[in-house]
């Protein structure tokens, strides 16, 4: 990558958000779960948060860095990440339908996931 232009912005944004999620989850897993009204965690619960939010976040950050550095892989990485985010958003919508409600933080993350999925789909198209 010899220059930065606007079509890299969604990938940079995704990289930063994934890095924040990953590092934050590893350092302070209870901060993650408190957003969803889970106020205590056992060691197994902390392990789960660190693995799913932390490890996944760091792995996704690494993939977004790869997408910026390896143009031939960019479209595939962005499309895969967009599908994962869309799936998360879809799961939130399904849950909101089943429960007939959605909390403030789940709604915030739903919006973030949908917007970021759209941006990454766009980034995949323009490669």
């Amino acid at each position: 990558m010899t220059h930065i232009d606007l079509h890299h912005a969604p990938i940079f944004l995704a990289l930063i958000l994934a890095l924040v999620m990953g590092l934050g989850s590893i350092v302070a897993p209870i901060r993650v779960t408190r957003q969803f009204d889970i106020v205590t965690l056992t060691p197994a619960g902390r392990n789960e948060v660190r693995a799913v939010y932390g490890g996944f976040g760091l792995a996704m950050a690494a993939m977004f860095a790869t997408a910026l550095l390896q143009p031939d892989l960019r479209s595939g990485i962005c499309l895969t990440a967009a599908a994962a985010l869309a799936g998360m958003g879809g799961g939130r919508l399904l849950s909101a339908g089943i429960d007939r409600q959605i909390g403030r933080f789940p709604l915030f993350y739903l919006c973030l996931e949908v917007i970021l999925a759209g941006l990454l789909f766009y980034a995949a198209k323009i490669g």
Side-chain angles (χ1 to χ4, degrees):
M1 185 172 73
T2 58
H3 67 284
I4 297 172
D5 54 45
L6 194 54
H7 79 273
H8 293 114
I11 304 168
F12 276 117
L13 176 63
L15 189 155
I16 297 301
L17 291 173
L19 193 58
V20 167
M21 178 182 76
L23 291 174
S25 299
I26 288 171
V27 171
I30 194 71
R31 285 189 182 161
V32 174
T33 60
R34 278 189 187 143
Q35 298 174 74
F36 306 103
D37 299 328
I38 303 167
V39 296
T40 61
L41 289 174
T42 64
R46 288 189 300 274
N47 183 286
E48 185 69 8
V49 172
R50 287 178 175 131
V52 174
Y53 289 86
F56 180 76
L58 294 177
M60 291 306 297
M63 293 309 300
F64 292 129
T66 301
L68 291 169
L69 297 171
Q70 299 289 324
D72 56 319
L73 300 176
R74 184 172 297 141
S75 289
I77 290 169
C78 289
L79 182 61
T80 301
L85 287 162
M88 291 166 68
R92 288 187 198 280
L93 282 175
L94 180 61
S95 181
I98 291 169
D99 293 335
R100 300 200 187 282
Q101 67 177 3
I102 187 165
R104 180 174 57 127
F105 280 109
L107 179 59
F108 169 76
Y109 289 114
L110 167 64
C111 293
L112 186 62
E113 289 155 359
V114 168
I115 291 166
L116 197 52
L119 288 172
L120 288 170
F121 180 72
Y122 170 75
K125 279 183 67 171
I126 62 172

